[in-house]
Amino acid sequence: MNAGDPHRDETPWDIGPDSHDDKLREECGVFGVIGANDAAAICALGLHALQHRGQEAAGITSFDGHEFFSRRGLGQVAENFSAGEAIAELPGHVAAGHVRYSTTGGTGLRNVQPLYADLASGGFAIAHNGNISNAMLLREELVRDGAIFQSTSDTEVIIHLVATSRYPTLLDRFIDALRMVEGAYSLVCMTTEGMIACRDPLGIRPLVMGKLGDAVIFASETVALDVVGADFIRQVDPGEMILVDFDGKIRTHRPFGKVSPRPCIFEHVYFSRPDSVFDGRSVYAVRKEIGAQLALEAPADADVVVPVPDSGVPAAIGYSQQSGIPFELGIIRSHYVGRTFIQPSDGDRHSGVKRKHNANRAVVEGKRIVLIDDSIVRGTTSHKIVQMMKDAGASEVHFRVASPPTGYGCYYGVDTPERSKLLAARMDLEAMRDFIHADSLAFVSIDGLYRAVGHKSRDLGCPQHCDACFTGEYPTSLTDLSRREMEAAQLTLPVNKVA
Ligand code: SF4
């Protein structure tokens, strides 16, 4: 979606510029703090810890009890908020922030969050992680009724729905608005009365709550609480809405009734930082367990287990411990890859991988390798890494993947290539093995993944997670997608020619 964007830097566990097209990408991280003297500075620090969730843009909005202040910019958090002057522009004891890599709405400053609007009830700022899967339909209806949109972001739909709701209080209008949207949302909002944090009824995207002295904090991941020195209190429950006023009083509402939650299982596989706790489980421990499950399900006769850095490391440790095959760093990652490095030529597609990762010949040469990565999306990077191992003298490369085949797109706030580009949607296992030139290829099973996350198996009648990118079973309606597909079908109806 944003190929060629100079702001597309690598996350800590990416493989280089062309790997951006070969990983699913989490789209956003949110952070909010209320009741702190230096709210904007805490918010900037928290966003920095969430940088892996979006590197395209960052924004912070603060409120000093009278006025809202906002600073939003393209690029990473440090580029926008490391200077004292930037933080000084954001006074007040409450602040909300956002890091973004866009799913819906594309690039551009007007889509950078938090989005802000003056409503009849006063100022309203919103930071959103997720994606609203009926946003286009709602937007068309709102525009027909006279709404004028400032951005192309799906999040702005929520603002307009709040603004046009006929309920008397802001809280009721907000609930009314959220009842109309479908899809995934973890929201941190600021009003003139305090902060509201809420999570969609299925809890698809994460959101946690912490405490720093008297201040209350909300963040996409626990790692942001750790980094600002806050204590983890609990996750915001699926379907829960938590209000914190300026006196620190906390009220909680569950306006959507009880639904079985479906948190995104890919947070465990790749999106969340390994030092976070998601859905009550250490992400690092789960990733190691996925590796152990892989070793049980797909053993290999090999000399060393090698992770694709950094995303494959915990699963490779788990595979090694379960199988008894030694773990070795057979690929070394450069930590000094510049973002603006110019490729020698368009044809040299290997250089993007090589300048980020290099084979450690001392480990690899003459060895049978079990190569572990978190996922295969298009397969182009996997192919290059396998080739890199063989070029360095590996006698065999057995590729093991710490997630099931990714055969479907995500419509809940993750950037996925169109389905026709997903390797698993195009090929069977043997064809994929052949495509990446591995000696063998295996993925962890969906039940193996569920076991690693702490379940006996996947509940077929009511899956415990969203796993739609592996199974194609989406937990919500996908209204906009269905409408697009219907329109496309109509466009391709055969034309009856009269002879
Ligand atoms: S489709 Fe995949 S990436 Fe998207 S929310 Fe569901 S499990 Fe997560």
Side-chain angles (χ1 to χ4, degrees):
M1 164 184 319
N2 297 310
D5 183 334
H7 298 289
R8 296 182 63 191
D9 198 3
E10 45 286 309
T11 64
W13 37 85
D14 269 351
I15 311 202
D18 46 1
S19 75
H20 288 296
D21 293 333
D22 208 11
K23 290 279 175 196
L24 299 190
R25 293 171 60 92
E26 176 63 58
E27 301 305 334
C28 300
V30 294
F31 190 93
V33 51
I34 177 164
N37 281 335
D38 41 5
I42 293 169
C43 192
L45 197 55
L47 289 180
H48 192 256
L50 299 173
Q51 188 73 82
H52 58 287
R53 299 184 75 87
Q55 301 92 50
E56 182 186 276
I60 296 177
T61 299
S62 71
F63 180 59
D64 70 355
H66 305 283
E67 253 184 275
F68 285 83
F69 302 85
S70 197
R71 185 182 168 93
R72 303 177 300 158
L74 299 177
Q76 299 190 5
V77 177
E79 293 168 52
N80 288 290
F81 295 106
S82 56
E85 306 87 68
I87 299 299
E89 287 176 18
L90 297 163
H93 293 176
V94 53
H98 190 261
V99 287
R100 169 186 172 81
Y101 175 78
S102 63
T103 30
T104 305
T107 56
L109 203 50
R110 66 187 177 142
N111 287 326
V112 179
Q113 298 188 22
L115 299 182
Y116 174 82
D118 277 313
L119 305 182
S121 53
F124 183 81
I126 182 167
H128 171 204
N129 176 204
N131 193 57
I132 295 169
S133 55
N134 63 341
M136 288 308 299
L137 176 68
L138 292 170
R139 185 183 172 109
E140 283 167 24
E141 290 170 358
L142 286 160
V143 168
R144 251 197 320 271
D145 290 344
I148 298 170
F149 278 76
Q150 304 290 318
S151 76
T152 53
S153 156
D154 60 328
T155 311
E156 196 182 350
V157 166
I158 298 175
I159 293 179
H160 283 274
L161 291 174
V162 174
T164 53
S165 170
R166 298 189 179 278
Y167 281 87
T169 68
L170 177 65
L171 177 63
D172 286 338
R173 285 201 291 276
F174 192 45
I175 293 170
D176 185 37
L178 293 182
R179 285 213 168 100
M180 284 184 256
V181 306
E182 69 182 34
Y185 52 84
S186 284
L187 303 172
V188 174
C189 306
M190 286 161 56
T191 75
T192 51
E193 291 167 18
M195 180 162 276
I196 308 174
C198 74
R199 218 168 149 201
D200 66 75
L202 297 173
I204 295 176
R205 301 258 72 86
L207 191 62
V208 296
M209 181 180 177
K211 205 106 184 18
L212 178 63
D214 291 333
V216 177
I217 292 180
F218 298 99
S220 293
E221 289 184 39
T222 59
V223 65
L225 302 179
D226 294 343
V227 166
V228 303
D231 293 324
F232 170 71
I233 303 295
R234 65 178 177 87
Q235 70 166 357
V236 178
D237 286 337
E240 185 181 16
M241 188 174 276
I242 300 178
L243 289 82
V244 188
D245 69 19
F246 294 117
D247 296 326
K249 200 165 126 219
I250 299 173
R251 286 180 294 148
T252 178
H253 298 261
R254 293 170 202 269
F256 306 114
K258 192 141 179 63
V259 197
S260 297
R262 302 282 293 272
C264 167
I265 205 162
F266 221 115
E267 291 284 348
H268 279 301
V269 170
Y270 175 69
F271 301 139
S272 289
R273 256 176 62 159
D275 44 347
S276 278
V277 172
F278 173 54
D279 208 24
R281 305 263 298 161
S282 151
V283 173
Y284 177 77
V286 167
R287 285 183 191 164
K288 265 180 68 180
E289 188 53 36
I290 298 173
Q293 291 291 330
L294 250 181
L296 291 168
E297 292 182 354
D301 276 333
D303 304 308
V304 283
V305 175
V306 170
V308 176
D310 289 326
S311 57
V313 171
I317 293 171
Y319 193 103
S320 166
Q321 288 178 352
Q322 179 64 44
S323 65
I325 302 170
F327 171 96
E328 296 285 359
L329 294 176
I331 301 172
I332 304 299
R333 174 179 163 243
S334 167
H335 292 261
Y336 306 101
V337 179
R339 288 197 290 135
T340 54
F341 197 90
I342 294 170
Q343 302 278 344
S345 76
D346 285 351
D348 188 4
R349 298 280 292 160
H350 289 66
S351 60
V353 171
K354 280 192 169 169
R355 70 187 174 84
K356 183 93 187 261
H357 284 126
N358 193 36
N360 184 2
R361 188 175 280 272
V363 163
V364 170
E365 193 161 25
K367 300 276 181 32
R368 297 169 300 164
I369 309 283
V370 183
L371 191 60
I372 310 264
D373 204 357
D374 63 278
S375 57
I376 293 182
V377 180
R378 294 172 192 248
T380 46
T381 304
S382 309
H383 164 73
K384 289 167 190 169
I385 296 273
V386 170
Q387 195 56 48
M388 184 191 289
M389 293 289 91
K390 294 202 165 173
D391 290 347
S395 59
E396 293 173 18
V397 178
H398 301 279
F399 207 108
R400 297 291 179 267
V401 188
S403 59
T406 306
Y408 301 87
C410 176
Y411 302 95
Y412 302 123
V414 170
D415 181 38
T416 343
E418 56 194 76
R419 190 155 185 243
S420 61
K421 304 248 167 53
L422 296 172
L423 198 68
R426 299 195 290 125
M427 298 180 190
D428 64 14
L429 187 67
E430 172 54 21
M432 286 193 270
R433 184 207 61 73
D434 190 49
F435 179 85
I436 66 170
H437 287 181
D439 294 281
S440 72
L441 170 66
F443 296 78
V444 76
S445 68
I446 191 81
D447 277 337
L449 177 58
Y450 270 77
R451 278 194 293 277
V453 174
H455 305 285
K456 274 197 183 128
S457 63
R458 180 177 190 260
D459 181 341
L460 293 177
C462 183
Q464 304 90 326
H465 291 268
C466 177
D467 54 22
C469 46
F470 308 125
T471 62
E473 290 177 34
Y474 294 92
T476 71
S477 316
L478 299 173
T479 300
D480 290 340
L481 178 73
S482 307
R483 291 172 74 228
R484 276 202 304 275
E485 285 175 349
M486 271 174 58
E487 280 166 20
Q490 279 163 4
L491 285 174
T492 54
L493 281 179
V495 178
N496 288 324
K497 287 195 178 154
V498 179

